[in-house]
Amino acid sequence: MSLRIALLGTLAHHGPASGYELAKRFDASVNFVWQAKHSQIYPELAKMAQTGAVTVEDAGGGRGRKIYTITDAGREEIVQWVSGEDPYRSVRNESGLRGFLVTLLPPDEAAAVMRAEEARHTASLNGLLWLKEDVAARTTPGSPSFGQYALDLGLRTTRMLQQWAADTAEDLERRAGTEHTP
Amino acid sequence: MSLRIALLGTLAHHGPASGYELAKRFDASVNFVWQAKHSQIYPELAKMAQTGAVTVEDAGGGRGRKIYTITDAGREEIVQWVSGEDPYRSVRNESGLRGFLVTLLPPDEAAAVMRAEEARHTASLNGLLWLKEDVAARTTPGSPSFGQYALDLGLRTTRMLQQWAADTAEDLERRAGTEHTP
DNA sequence: ATGCGCATGTAATGTGTTACATGATTAC
DNA sequence: GTAATCATGTAACACATTACATGCGCAT
């Protein structure tokens, strides 16, 4: 369900697109909250076309390129989902899982793992900051602006993760230093 | 793979447990980074017993209760995974996805959705703070302390999400106020 | 005896990943 | 001509959720 909604949202925000374009947009925006490969996106688009959430039209380019456009029914689906009262929130955070397990390594090795995570987060933070400038440059100030809140969330999440990795690494390094090597 | 590792990690941190206990521990700790239902946990434990990552022993209670214990091979699997160089980090954040889509609602409705999210995060933050006190009370100060970094990550994540929901709601409310109703 | 919490599992279905397969257009 | 990028799809497999099914022990 969530993938379907995420795709509809992307179509609603940025307008009609081909499956390929959609996959790239996905990578460049929703990516830090939801991920999907093209092999999952294509069948989902076909399914949505059948149920009337999107319309398809054939276009040139590549091997039979298709453009998908969201319908009113599709928009209605988004509204229903967003304002829905389902209390369950699915969560998956592989970086966080590492944090759970890192204490099982000796402090010095654990610290190295966390420094690597920190570097990874720094890199994606730079990517997001670049994206933000890019979006700001193309947006009229004061307008609703696509994915503004989501981008903000992405920045906050990445900064938090980076900071956590750095603090954890520091703590582990301190421990490794004061350790009585057995 | 990640579920397997998360289960092994839970066994390594808290010691031997039955599938049922493990499922509850999972809910109470790893929950905010990884989720799993008992129907996924039981078969995975059976599989791990076959490959020698854990050992099983039968115990009383219920309908044939079984206790699982991590082996050295299981610990080695964790170490390999944590220090592994796989750059892919799977992410799934349904709360975040809502943030992406909320701008598709009229500002006042969107604000209400975000206020509801904020309340949800406040509730889970309280749960984590309670958990933290509970853990602190049972842990010797200065010791490595199980899942310390992960709990810290949980607190930071939840606080960040709560703050983001509040800020977003505020912004949306401001917009709803200054709006020229069409 | 009725319901609740402990306890374990399976079956059907849905979602997601990896690998395979194909072909057009553009730049060098 | 050949490599990269655009472009779409399927098949096999792995992972996850929902629903079904069972049974013990304890409290009311």
Side-chain angles (χ1 to χ4, degrees):
Chain A
M1 197 74 246
S2 299
L3 171 67
R4 184 186 178 107
I5 296 293
L7 286 171
L8 287 173
T10 307
L11 284 172
H13 274 311
H14 309 247
S18 69
Y20 187 84
E21 275 178 291
L22 221 55
K24 296 197 96 181
R25 279 185 194 172
F26 220 80
D27 276 6
S29 57
V30 204
N31 188 256
F32 57 89
V33 292
W34 211 268
Q35 297 160 339
K37 320 256 154 159
H38 76 275
S39 55
Q40 202 188 351
I41 291 173
Y42 286 121
E44 191 64 49
L45 283 169
K47 212 166 114 192
M48 289 197 284
Q50 275 195 334
T51 61
V54 297
T55 55
V56 211
E57 61 174 312
D58 279 51
R63 174 184 59 158
R65 200 171 111 98
K66 289 172 192 167
I67 303 292
Y68 294 88
T69 309
I70 189 167
T71 63
D72 285 349
R75 281 173 198 278
E76 185 52 28
E77 269 189 51
I78 299 177
V79 172
Q80 288 305 314
W81 189 84
V82 179
S83 36
E85 275 308 305
D86 184 1
Y88 177 77
R89 296 286 180 279
S90 92
V91 169
R92 198 140 299 184
N93 182 343
E94 218 173 294
S95 293
L97 186 53
R98 261 154 226 270
F100 243 91
L101 302 166
V102 86
T103 42
L104 297 167
L105 298 179
D108 54 335
E109 283 176 42
V113 167
M114 280 296 114
R115 286 292 176 204
E117 285 293 311
E118 186 194 352
R120 197 184 295 282
H121 293 309
T122 305
S124 53
L125 184 59
N126 287 334
L128 285 173
L129 287 169
W130 175 84
L131 183 67
K132 191 188 179 183
E133 302 230 330
D134 192 53
V135 168
R138 289 181 307 178
T139 313
T140 332
S143 82
S145 126
F146 119 79
Q148 186 199 65
Y149 301 130
L151 183 55
D152 179 35
L153 176 65
L155 286 167
R156 290 183 194 219
T157 303
T158 310
R159 260 192 220 111
M160 184 274 296
L161 248 30
Q162 181 203 37
Q163 195 57 53
W164 169 78
D167 292 350
T168 302
E170 203 177 321
D171 192 68
L172 287 163
E173 280 157 6
R174 206 173 34 69
R175 276 173 201 239
T178 55
E179 191 124 305
H180 320 277
T181 12
Chain B
M1 198 75 245
S2 298
L3 171 67
R4 184 185 178 107
I5 297 294
L7 287 171
L8 288 173
T10 307
L11 283 172
H13 275 310
H14 310 247
S18 69
Y20 188 83
E21 275 178 291
L22 220 56
K24 297 195 97 181
R25 278 184 194 173
F26 220 79
D27 276 5
S29 57
V30 203
N31 189 257
F32 57 89
V33 293
W34 211 268
Q35 298 160 339
K37 321 253 152 161
H38 76 274
S39 54
Q40 203 189 350
I41 292 172
Y42 285 121
E44 191 64 49
L45 283 169
K47 212 166 113 192
M48 287 198 285
Q50 276 195 334
T51 60
V54 298
T55 55
V56 210
E57 63 174 311
D58 280 51
R63 173 185 59 157
R65 198 171 111 98
K66 289 170 191 168
I67 304 292
Y68 294 89
T69 308
I70 190 168
T71 63
D72 285 349
R75 281 172 197 277
E76 185 51 29
E77 268 189 51
I78 300 177
V79 171
Q80 288 305 314
W81 188 85
V82 179
S83 38
E85 275 308 307
D86 185 0
Y88 178 77
R89 295 286 180 277
S90 92
V91 169
R92 197 141 300 184
N93 182 343
E94 220 171 293
S95 294
L97 186 54
R98 261 154 226 270
F100 244 92
L101 302 166
V102 86
T103 42
L104 297 168
L105 298 178
D108 55 335
E109 285 176 42
V113 167
M114 279 297 113
R115 287 292 177 206
E117 284 293 311
E118 187 194 352
R120 198 184 295 281
H121 293 310
T122 305
S124 53
L125 184 60
N126 287 334
L128 284 174
L129 286 169
W130 176 84
L131 184 67
K132 190 188 178 182
E133 302 229 332
D134 192 54
V135 168
R138 289 182 308 176
T139 312
T140 332
S143 83
S145 123
F146 121 79
Q148 185 199 64
Y149 302 130
L151 183 55
D152 179 35
L153 176 65
L155 286 167
R156 290 183 193 218
T157 303
T158 310
R159 261 193 219 110
M160 184 273 297
L161 248 32
Q162 181 203 37
Q163 194 57 53
W164 169 76
D167 292 350
T168 302
E170 203 177 323
D171 192 68
L172 287 163
E173 280 157 7
R174 206 172 36 68
R175 275 173 201 239
T178 55
E179 190 123 306
H180 320 277
T181 11

